[in-house]
Amino acid sequence: MSKVATRFAPSPTGPLHIGGIRTALFSWLYSKNQKGKFYLRIEDTDKERSKDEYKDQIINSLKWIGIEHDGNEYIQSKKIDDHVKIANELLKKNYAYKCYCSSEEIEDQKKRAKQKKIPYIYNRKWRDLSEVDAPKDIKPVIRFKSKIKGSYILKDIVQGDIEIENDTIEDFVILRNDGTPTYNLCAAVDDHQMSMTHIIRGDDHKINTFKQIQIYEAMKWELPSFAHVPLIHTIDGKKLSKRDKASTLDDYSKIGIMPMALRNYLLRLGWSYKDKEIFTLEESINLFNLEGIGKSPSKLDMSRILSMNEHYIKNIDENDLFGQLNEYCKLFKKEIKQDKKDKIKKSLTFLKNKAKTLEDIFNNGQYIINDEVNYNQEDVKLIDDKARKVISDFSTQYEKIDTPSREILEPIINELIKSHATNFKGVGQPLRIMLTGSKFGPGIYDIILSLEKEQVQKRLTIKIT
RNA sequence: GGUCCCUUCGUCUAUCGGUUAGGACACAUGGUUUUCAUCCAUGAAAGAGGGGUUCGAUUCCCCUAGGGACCGCCA
């Protein structure tokens, strides 16, 4: 049996959405699971809409989530000569024919079909007509002579057997009248030339498969296996498209979702392995199989993405986490200053406890990252005269400390609670507000110890109404 | 409209004829905690409907309903 080869074949006409990324992920995982190859084919034959920036965006998106393709990208537009060659070969072998219908004629047929509420299907007018009768002023398209009799059963790995009457597949165009090849021809030729063993793609291509298979058969090529993955739906149950918000990778990376978390989420969306939820990259390669893919479309669930991200934030190595945070800030916020990096890194232990995203960590760490505190005006109001006294008393004690530590601070705080006849909140809250600008935040000891001594002193003596 | 596909808690899913229908997220309640969180415990929550087949159906078959995809000289 030949070595497994799969591919992902997007068209660079827009940013890749996460449905596409999941399909790519499945395809990639399967090839890696089988110790095979995974290729990337850029289907850029629509010259009008294809853009290089989208091509780059697609490659970067895949890289971001950890998918790397083998070999160079296969650029479909560079293979047009091959596609045309096959089209002519099909013509010669009488598997295709020239169709001289004008576009007006076709439009008219479609319109009438719509009026009569019957499905439009090309009427095969030129299938058996002699070219001698061809109008001179019309450049023909080449249509594939699709089977009319019988039916075909597609053995799909995910969807099972799908039977379709051959005559529902029309004589589709394989070469336009400007001589350029169309999708179904290109896809079939490329998949064959790239020696694909498994075509794993969205199930919006299911019907196309019946066209592509006929090209394979006409050319006497060995058929690959097919696995049509159900589409991802939006929360209202519609096919996810590039126009939907929160559909592209950027939408997730910019709020601080980490690649590993999104990868894990996407893996479990429409695929499962027993009750297992968390998969390392290695586990996902080792355990992935096509049989585990469900047949029904699944909906995107943001709260689950967040909780998956939260899980990774809390469980990965802190050096790794800091690396990700640093990258994130550089890309989407502002770069953390060199002298603050160490402090953030050390404080990750508690900063990450309140975070679902890297953005949350960034926000929680504002009081460390910035020298100036951004005071929440509502919270500041909580500081009354009594609180002010607590703050200044603490400040006096704090100044005497050489190297602050929890052991040293604890008795001081406890003493203040006693002398001011209050509780922990009475001391902790004013201090927290002074030091971070907010009444919410990490434990007071964590805050104090995460700041330079002079920073603490400065902030405690600052005048805020 | 035609063709094809799908249907288990709100969501992602487990179950491959016999289960108190399991897990995860979200949700609710309680506990820990010096705030917000975290963490822990508990709880509520599902087989679309109707027929068969069978000793027994969530599981197999049929019908209905609902949802989706496709129906381009786009990919």
Side-chain angles (χ1 to χ4, degrees), chain A residues 322 325-326 330 335-348 368-369:
Chain A
F322 180 76
L325 177 72
N326 195 38
K330 219 187 286 182
E335 190 165 3
I336 302 172
K337 285 196 217 118
Q338 201 55 42
D339 61 317
K340 308 287 184 196
K341 281 186 182 170
D342 259 9
K343 291 189 181 53
I344 290 286
K345 203 172 192 173
K346 275 189 209 131
S347 307
L348 239 28
I368 300 175
I369 293 169

Side-chain angles (χ1 to χ4, degrees), chain A residues 375 388 390-396 398-399 430-435 444 448 453-464:
Chain A
Y375 290 99
R388 257 187 281 274
V390 171
I391 293 164
S392 75
D393 283 0
F394 176 81
S395 195
T396 315
Y398 183 76
E399 267 176 56
L431 289 176
R432 181 181 291 110
I433 294 172
M434 290 305 288
L435 294 172
I444 192 63
I448 296 170
K453 195 178 169 199
E454 55 267 35
Q455 270 293 331
V456 174
Q457 286 173 301
K458 194 180 125 201
R459 291 181 192 188
L460 290 179
T461 51
I462 217 160
K463 287 270 175 291
I464 50 161

Side-chain angles (χ1 to χ4, degrees), chain A residues 67-126:
Chain A
I67 300 175
E68 296 230 31
H69 55 276
D70 293 300
N72 292 325
E73 311 68 270
Y74 183 108
I75 307 296
Q76 191 164 61
S77 59
K78 289 187 182 162
K79 301 286 176 178
I80 286 180
D81 290 350
D82 292 344
H83 306 144
V84 173
K85 208 181 106 205
I86 299 297
N88 286 320
E89 209 171 318
L90 288 167
L91 195 60
K92 206 180 293 169
K93 288 181 175 165
N94 203 24
Y95 279 110
Y97 61 93
K98 289 180 181 169
C99 162
Y100 289 88
C101 289
S102 65
S103 46
E104 292 78 28
E105 205 173 336
I106 300 287
E107 281 309 311
D108 192 53
Q109 283 179 33
K110 282 185 190 168
K111 212 183 280 173
R112 263 190 287 177
K114 211 168 187 180
Q115 276 168 3
K116 282 198 242 167
K117 285 193 190 289
I118 55 170
Y120 164 75
I121 182 164
Y122 171 66
N123 63 9
R124 306 187 181 96
K125 182 176 167 187
W126 288 89

